[in-house]
Amino acid sequence: QEQLVESGGGLVQAGGSLGLSCVVSGSIRGIRAMGWYRQAPGKQRELVASISSSGSTNYLASVRGRFTISRDNAKNTVYLQMNSLKPEDTAVYYCNAAIMYAPYAYWGQGTQVTVSS
């Protein structure tokens, strides 16, 4: 059973927008923070945005002002709204759930985002 299920990736032209969703299984407890990571070919995975259980957010400098992370606790869903997309935003995007007092985290299967120039 998948714990985190992502959706919303796709192909978009530069300057366009995409929204990603991540549905979190109700079986996951003690989430400290949710995040969106991305990994481009030949590059390391990097944290794009995160939102804590209290609602505070953090962003990678290169996406600040263009991307917005949010959560709907009633729907157990985390979102990433991506505006003004650039070709360098092309990557596989992964949803992540960090667990309090635990050395492990949950990951989604990844969703491809491709931005054409």
Side-chain angles (χ1 to χ4, degrees):
Q1 179 182 0
E2 294 179 325
Q3 307 287 357
L4 302 177
V5 180
E6 300 136 342
S7 61
L11 173 65
V12 65
Q13 288 188 333
S17 298
L18 278 177
L20 305 182
S21 300
C22 173
V23 178
V24 183
S25 169
S27 65
I28 298 178
R29 294 286 185 261
I31 295 176
R32 173 174 55 81
M34 296 292 303
W36 286 96
Y37 286 71
R38 69 185 181 188
Q39 188 166 18
K43 295 188 177 181
Q44 289 190 333
R45 191 172 296 190
E46 61 182 356
L47 177 62
V48 175
S50 65
I51 183 167
S52 71
S53 56
S54 64
S56 62
T57 57
N58 282 293
Y59 295 93
L60 183 68
S62 61
V63 309
R64 193 173 294 121
R66 300 188 296 120
F67 291 10
T68 302
I69 189 170
S70 61
R71 63 194 300 169
D72 185 334
N73 291 331
K75 295 182 178 180
N76 285 342
T77 302
V78 177
Y79 305 95
L80 185 68
Q81 179 63 38
M82 304 181 292
N83 299 327
S84 302
L85 283 160
K86 304 175 181 180
E88 51 263 43
D89 295 319
T90 295
V92 178
Y93 283 70
Y94 297 90
C95 182
N96 168 279
I99 308 302
M100 286 187 287
Y101 314 121
Y104 58 86
Y106 292 92
W107 291 91
Q109 78 282 4
T111 185
Q112 177 70 46
V113 171
T114 303
V115 184
S116 63
S117 57

Coordinates of all heavy atoms in Angstrom, one line a residue, residues 39-72:
Q39 N 14.6 15.9 -8.3 CA 15.8 15.4 -8.7 C 15.9 15.4 -10.3 O 15.0 14.8 -10.9 CB 16.0 13.9 -8.3 CG 17.4 13.4 -8.5 CD 17.7 12.1 -7.8 OE1 16.9 11.4 -7.3 NE2 19.0 11.8 -7.7
A40 N 16.8 16.2 -10.8 CA 17.0 16.3 -12.2 C 18.1 15.3 -12.6 O 18.9 14.8 -11.8 CB 17.5 17.7 -12.6
P41 N 18.1 14.8 -13.9 CA 19.1 13.9 -14.3 C 20.5 14.3 -14.0 O 20.9 15.4 -14.3 CB 18.8 13.8 -15.8 CG 17.4 14.2 -16.0 CD 17.2 15.2 -14.9
G42 N 21.3 13.4 -13.4 CA 22.6 13.7 -13.1 C 22.9 14.6 -11.9 O 24.0 15.0 -11.6
K43 N 21.8 15.0 -11.2 CA 21.9 15.9 -10.1 C 21.4 15.2 -8.8 O 20.6 14.2 -8.9 CB 21.2 17.2 -10.3 CG 21.7 18.0 -11.5 CD 21.1 19.3 -11.5 CE 21.7 20.2 -12.6 NZ 21.0 21.6 -12.7
Q44 N 21.8 15.8 -7.7 CA 21.3 15.2 -6.4 C 19.9 15.7 -6.1 O 19.5 16.8 -6.6 CB 22.3 15.7 -5.3 CG 23.6 15.0 -5.3 CD 24.4 15.3 -4.0 OE1 24.2 16.4 -3.4 NE2 25.3 14.4 -3.7
R45 N 19.2 14.9 -5.3 CA 17.9 15.3 -4.9 C 18.0 16.5 -4.0 O 18.9 16.6 -3.1 CB 17.2 14.2 -4.2 CG 15.7 14.4 -4.0 CD 15.1 13.1 -3.4 NE 15.1 12.0 -4.4 CZ 14.5 10.8 -4.2 NH1 13.7 10.6 -3.2 NH2 14.6 9.9 -5.1
E46 N 17.1 17.5 -4.2 CA 17.2 18.7 -3.4 C 15.8 19.0 -2.9 O 14.7 18.7 -3.5 CB 17.7 19.9 -4.2 CG 16.9 20.3 -5.4 CD 17.5 21.4 -6.2 OE1 18.5 22.0 -5.8 OE2 16.9 21.8 -7.3
L47 N 15.8 19.7 -1.7 CA 14.5 20.1 -1.1 C 14.0 21.4 -1.8 O 14.7 22.4 -1.8 CB 14.7 20.3 0.4 CG 13.5 20.8 1.2 CD1 12.3 19.8 1.1 CD2 13.9 21.1 2.6
V48 N 12.8 21.3 -2.3 CA 12.2 22.5 -3.0 C 11.4 23.3 -2.0 O 11.5 24.5 -2.0 CB 11.3 22.0 -4.1 CG1 10.6 23.2 -4.8 CG2 12.2 21.2 -5.1
A49 N 10.6 22.7 -1.2 CA 9.7 23.4 -0.3 C 9.3 22.5 0.8 O 9.2 21.3 0.6 CB 8.5 24.0 -1.0
S50 N 9.1 23.0 2.0 CA 8.6 22.2 3.1 C 7.6 23.0 3.9 O 7.6 24.3 3.9 CB 9.7 21.8 4.0 OG 10.4 22.9 4.6
I51 N 6.7 22.3 4.6 CA 5.7 22.9 5.5 C 5.7 22.1 6.8 O 5.5 20.9 6.7 CB 4.4 23.1 4.8 CG1 3.4 23.8 5.7 CG2 3.8 21.7 4.3 CD1 2.1 24.2 4.9
S52 N 5.8 22.8 7.9 CA 5.8 22.1 9.2 C 4.4 21.8 9.7 O 3.4 22.3 9.1 CB 6.5 22.9 10.2 OG 5.8 24.0 10.6
S53 N 4.3 21.1 10.7 CA 3.0 20.8 11.3 C 2.3 22.0 11.8 O 1.0 22.1 11.9 CB 3.1 19.8 12.5 OG 4.0 20.3 13.4
S54 N 3.1 23.1 12.1 CA 2.5 24.3 12.6 C 2.2 25.3 11.4 O 1.6 26.3 11.6 CB 3.5 25.0 13.5 OG 4.7 25.4 12.8
G55 N 2.6 24.9 10.2 CA 2.3 25.7 9.0 C 3.4 26.6 8.5 O 3.2 27.2 7.5
S56 N 4.5 26.6 9.2 CA 5.6 27.4 8.7 C 6.2 26.8 7.4 O 6.3 25.5 7.3 CB 6.7 27.6 9.8 OG 7.2 26.3 10.1
T57 N 6.6 27.6 6.5 CA 7.1 27.1 5.2 C 8.6 27.6 5.0 O 9.0 28.6 5.5 CB 6.2 27.6 4.1 OG1 6.2 29.0 4.1 CG2 4.8 27.1 4.2
N58 N 9.2 26.8 4.2 CA 10.6 27.1 3.7 C 10.7 26.8 2.2 O 10.1 25.8 1.8 CB 11.6 26.4 4.5 CG 11.9 27.0 5.9 OD1 12.4 28.1 6.0 ND2 11.5 26.3 6.9
Y59 N 11.5 27.5 1.5 CA 11.7 27.3 0.1 C 13.1 27.4 -0.3 O 13.9 28.1 0.2 CB 10.9 28.4 -0.7 CG 9.4 28.4 -0.5 CD1 8.8 29.1 0.5 CD2 8.6 27.6 -1.3 CE1 7.4 29.1 0.7 CE2 7.2 27.5 -1.1 CZ 6.6 28.3 -0.1 OH 5.3 28.2 0.0
L60 N 13.4 26.6 -1.4 CA 14.7 26.7 -2.1 C 14.7 28.1 -2.7 O 13.7 28.6 -3.2 CB 14.7 25.7 -3.2 CG 16.0 25.5 -4.0 CD1 17.1 25.0 -3.1 CD2 15.7 24.6 -5.2
A61 N 15.9 28.7 -2.6 CA 16.0 30.1 -3.0 C 15.6 30.3 -4.4 O 14.9 31.3 -4.8 CB 17.4 30.6 -2.8
S62 N 15.9 29.4 -5.3 CA 15.6 29.6 -6.7 C 14.1 29.4 -7.0 O 13.7 29.8 -8.2 CB 16.4 28.5 -7.5 OG 16.0 27.2 -7.2
V63 N 13.3 29.0 -6.1 CA 11.8 28.9 -6.4 C 11.0 29.8 -5.5 O 9.8 30.0 -5.7 CB 11.3 27.4 -6.1 CG1 12.2 26.4 -6.9 CG2 11.2 27.1 -4.7
R64 N 11.7 30.5 -4.6 CA 10.9 31.4 -3.7 C 10.2 32.5 -4.5 O 10.9 33.1 -5.4 CB 11.9 32.0 -2.7 CG 11.1 32.7 -1.5 CD 12.1 33.1 -0.4 NE 12.7 32.0 0.2 CZ 14.1 31.7 0.2 NH1 14.9 32.6 -0.4 NH2 14.5 30.7 0.8
G65 N 9.0 32.7 -4.2 CA 8.2 33.7 -5.0 C 7.5 33.1 -6.2 O 6.6 33.8 -6.8
R66 N 7.9 31.9 -6.6 CA 7.2 31.3 -7.8 C 6.4 30.0 -7.3 O 5.4 29.7 -7.9 CB 8.3 30.8 -8.8 CG 9.1 32.0 -9.4 CD 10.0 31.5 -10.5 NE 11.0 30.5 -10.1 CZ 11.1 29.3 -10.6 NH1 10.3 28.9 -11.5 NH2 12.1 28.5 -10.2
F67 N 6.9 29.3 -6.3 CA 6.3 28.1 -5.8 C 5.6 28.4 -4.5 O 6.1 29.2 -3.7 CB 7.3 27.0 -5.7 CG 7.9 26.4 -6.9 CD1 7.7 27.0 -8.2 CD2 8.6 25.3 -6.9 CE1 8.2 26.5 -9.3 CE2 9.2 24.7 -8.0 CZ 9.0 25.4 -9.3
T68 N 4.5 27.7 -4.3 CA 3.8 27.8 -3.0 C 3.4 26.4 -2.5 O 2.8 25.6 -3.2 CB 2.5 28.6 -3.1 OG1 2.9 29.9 -3.6 CG2 1.9 28.8 -1.8
I69 N 3.8 26.1 -1.3 CA 3.5 24.8 -0.7 C 2.3 25.1 0.3 O 2.3 26.1 1.0 CB 4.7 24.1 0.0 CG1 4.3 22.7 0.5 CG2 5.2 25.0 1.2 CD1 5.5 21.9 1.0
S70 N 1.4 24.2 0.3 CA 0.2 24.3 1.2 C -0.3 22.9 1.6 O 0.1 21.9 1.0 CB -0.9 25.1 0.6 OG -1.4 24.5 -0.6
R71 N -1.1 22.9 2.6 CA -1.7 21.6 3.1 C -3.1 21.8 3.4 O -3.6 22.8 3.9 CB -0.9 21.1 4.2 CG -0.9 22.0 5.5 CD 0.2 21.6 6.5 NE 0.0 20.2 6.9 CZ 1.0 19.5 7.6 NH1 2.1 20.2 7.9 NH2 0.8 18.3 8.0
D72 N -3.9 20.7 3.2 CA -5.3 20.6 3.6 C -5.4 19.4 4.6 O -5.4 18.3 4.1 CB -6.2 20.5 2.4 CG -7.6 20.5 2.8 OD1 -8.0 20.2 3.9 OD2 -8.5 20.9 1.9

